[in-house]
């Protein structure tokens, strides 16, 4: 597995390269929390796809439950 991936902010769409063992908590562009808006790991590994889907699912469930930004 690669030690690096691209992190795509679900709030502003900014793409930043990151090390998998040092995932940031905030976007370096808009400074919004990934816990609030989610992120997408942009690479070709199954683990990245699963983590990205988890982030999207969490974001979608928060929106559906009425939690706003």
């Amino acid at each position: 597995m690669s030690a690096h991936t691209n992190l795509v902010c679900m709030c502003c769409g900014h793409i930043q390269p990151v090390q998998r063992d040092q995932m940031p908590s905030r976007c370096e562009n808009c400074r919004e929390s990934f816990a609030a808006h989610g992120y997408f790991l942009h690479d070709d590994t199954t683990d990245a796809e699963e983590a990205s889907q988890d982030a999207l699912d969490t974001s979608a469930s928060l929106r559906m439950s009425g939690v706003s930004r």
Side-chain angles (χ1 to χ4, degrees):
M1 175 186 273
S2 173
H4 293 85
T5 188
N6 290 321
L7 193 69
V8 183
C9 177
M10 297 299 287
C11 182
C12 72
H14 176 71
I15 300 171
Q16 63 192 67
V18 296
Q19 291 184 344
R20 289 182 178 274
D21 60 350
Q22 296 178 356
M23 298 293 279
S25 62
R26 296 187 175 276
C27 175
E28 68 182 9
N29 182 57
C30 69
R31 304 304 300 159
E32 289 293 323
S33 169
F34 289 129
H37 301 288
Y39 59 86
F40 181 80
L41 295 175
H42 183 258
D43 62 25
D44 298 325
T45 65
T46 301
D47 289 340
E49 289 177 11
E50 290 173 3
S52 297
Q53 190 60 53
D54 288 346
L56 291 171
D57 291 347
T58 299
S59 179
S61 68
L62 288 174
R63 282 190 208 109
M64 292 184 75
S65 67
V67 176
S68 64
R69 296 191 215 186

